[in-house]
Amino acid sequence: MVNRTNGGANLLALRGHNATLVLDLLRGAGEEGISRLELAERTGLTPQAVSKITARLREEGLAAEAGRRASTGGKPRTVLRLVPEAGHAVGVQLDRDEVRAVLVDLTGRIVAERRAGVDLGRAGADAAVDAVVREARPLAGGVRAGALLGVGVALPGPLDHVRGVLHRVTGFPQWEGFPLRDAVAARLDVPVVVDKDTNAAALGLAVAGEGEGPEEAARSFAYLHLATGLGAGLVIGGAVHRGARTGAGEFGHQVIQLDGPRCTCGDRGCVEALCLAAVARGDLEEAARVLGAGASNLVGLLDIDLVLLGGRTVAAAPDVFVRGVADVLEARARREGAVGGAVPVRPARGGAWGVAAGAAQLVLGGVFGRHG
């Protein structure tokens, strides 16, 4: 167990805007590092301010020298790099039938992972807490004192991201009003952040630079997650869009067939119900077509730059789903005469561990100013 008042609080205290700017640039520079002059140029801070910030970061063990780099007309510049092992975060994905947990360093690299089956359909919210703690505690216990920043938990919504309270999670009405964040924090004695699984995955993808092209980044994309349910994570203008009540991205419950099959949400003809029914009968092409219809609605509403597909079901047959969704979007683009053609579709990076890794980024965001 990690005491939330130990040395790890030093990292969490480094939340000043300027310090987070510098830390984020150090992380982005990788092992090659970045010079103080470059930091000043890219942050708009004075060289003196950058020197003070980097000196403090070095004292805290967050930054270190990465060698020297030749300069034009002057003496070689010392370059600095982030020290990945200076801090860690645990990310947990709580799904309807399994729990996955990862330990990541400050760069987001997964250094340890755990997975276990769980049947949340027959369990209450307390059992969900038990599942999270059971997988997170061994990972947290492997971190040196003071280096654990916290635990991020991602699970199906809807929920209140700010307060960490569950709403009427689809299929689990008994969870409504449960304070998951506070319950897990009390058991693990570390800071805890809770968010929807799709938001966590989208944040992880945004931090990793998913969508970046040779000229400019795709600033707006949708991550569509198909596993035991169907949801979306939205990145608009480079930031995760949660909505005023963390309700954005309830993608699976848009109705596209008024007399369709009953969905677990209580409505009929939802994209999720139609898609999961097709998957259950082994018709992945139809599932991809339905997913494409939902994606087409999303593209029409938000005019996003990119569609990313993830989740266990997609990971089992990525080519089928990418092709099926892309075909629907291409047909729409032809009908509309879209400038530049159809919105591209591709599998999301991260595989089966993408949501758990994204949940860890919910914690790291406090250090790097990437709250989403």
Side-chain angles (χ1 to χ4, degrees), residues 220-224 232-235 298 304-309:
S220 301
F221 65 81
Y223 166 74
L224 307 184
L234 306 175
V235 172
L298 199 58
I304 53 178
D305 303 313
L306 174 68
V307 172
L308 299 170
L309 306 181

Side-chain angles (χ1 to χ4, degrees), residues 245-261:
R245 292 163 294 278
T246 325
E250 289 299 313
F251 168 84
H253 300 296
Q254 55 175 305
V255 175
I256 62 173
Q257 184 180 338
L258 292 177
D259 59 348

Side-chain angles (χ1 to χ4, degrees), residues 211-219:
E212 291 185 358
E215 297 180 358
E216 60 180 325
R219 298 284 293 167

Side-chain angles (χ1 to χ4, degrees), residues 174-192:
Q174 71 276 20
W175 288 16
E176 186 172 8
F178 185 78
L180 181 65
R181 181 193 65 191
D182 292 347
V184 173
R187 293 277 299 276
L188 293 176
D189 195 28
V190 295
V192 174

Side-chain angles (χ1 to χ4, degrees), residues 1-367:
M1 188 176 299
V2 180
N3 191 312
R4 71 181 78 190
T5 63
N6 63 19
N10 290 331
L11 280 173
L12 290 173
L14 289 172
R15 288 174 177 255
H17 177 67
N18 293 342
T20 58
L21 285 177
V22 171
L23 278 168
D24 197 40
L25 288 172
L26 286 171
R27 178 170 60 167
E31 295 183 359
E32 293 184 0
I34 185 171
S35 71
R36 292 178 180 84
L37 181 58
E38 290 172 302
L39 287 170
E41 292 172 346
R42 295 179 63 178
T43 60
L45 299 172
T46 65
Q48 293 81 3
V50 168
S51 292
K52 289 180 179 179
I53 291 170
T54 54
R56 188 167 79 249
L57 295 179
R58 291 183 65 183
E59 290 174 3
E60 294 286 346
L62 288 167
E65 288 192 5
R68 293 179 179 274
R69 182 182 302 162
S71 64
T72 57
K75 64 180 182 180
R77 298 173 184 169
T78 299
V79 293
L80 302 172
R81 64 173 178 84
L82 184 71
V83 178
E85 62 274 17
H88 292 82
V90 172
V92 181
Q93 178 193 8
L94 186 63
D95 208 340
R96 291 171 171 85
D97 61 353
E98 71 170 8
V99 57
R100 292 175 181 262
V102 298
L103 178 69
V104 308
D105 63 19
L106 289 180
T107 68
R109 182 179 67 91
I110 295 176
V111 296
E113 58 191 37
R114 291 174 60 88
R115 175 184 175 276
V118 62
D119 184 3
L120 295 183
R122 299 181 180 179
D126 288 334
V129 174
D130 290 340
V132 171
V133 171
R134 188 167 55 247
E135 302 309 313
R137 180 168 282 156
L139 296 177
V143 178
R144 66 176 175 80
L148 183 66
L149 300 177
V151 175
V153 181
L155 72 161
L159 53 81
D160 183 338
H161 160 70
V162 176
R163 298 189 301 131
V165 174
L166 305 183
H167 289 168
R168 189 176 288 266
V169 177
T170 306
F172 303 97
Q174 71 276 20
W175 288 16
E176 186 172 8
F178 185 78
L180 181 65
R181 181 193 65 191
D182 292 347
V184 173
R187 293 277 299 276
L188 293 176
D189 195 28
V190 295
V192 174
V193 184
V194 172
D195 205 343
K196 293 197 297 188
D197 47 12
T198 49
N199 287 343
L203 175 61
L205 292 167
V207 169
E210 184 66 87
E212 291 185 358
E215 297 180 358
E216 60 180 325
R219 298 284 293 167
S220 301
F221 65 81
Y223 166 74
L224 307 184
H225 183 89
L226 179 59
T228 58
L230 174 61
L234 306 175
V235 172
I236 307 297
V240 176
H241 178 68
R242 295 182 175 88
R245 292 163 294 278
T246 325
E250 289 299 313
F251 168 84
H253 300 296
Q254 55 175 305
V255 175
I256 62 173
Q257 184 180 338
L258 292 177
D259 59 348
R262 181 75 67 182
C263 181
T264 53
C265 74
D267 217 330
R268 287 187 176 276
C270 293
V271 175
E272 177 176 297
L274 295 168
C275 200
L276 293 182
V279 171
R281 64 176 181 267
D283 191 349
L284 297 187
E285 286 79 9
E286 173 65 8
R289 188 181 72 84
V290 172
L291 185 59
S296 178
N297 290 340
L298 199 58
V299 168
L301 284 170
L302 300 178
D303 193 21
I304 53 178
D305 303 313
L306 174 68
V307 172
L308 299 170
L309 306 181
R312 281 179 287 157
T313 304
V314 170
D319 292 342
V320 173
F321 282 96
V322 169
R323 182 173 61 249
V325 173
D327 285 347
V328 177
L329 295 185
E330 286 169 4
R332 179 191 183 103
R334 286 195 299 271
R335 290 195 306 271
E336 297 178 345
V339 177
V343 172
V345 182
R346 64 172 181 251
R349 289 182 285 184
W353 298 93
V355 173
Q361 289 293 344
L362 295 171
V363 176
L364 294 183
V367 177

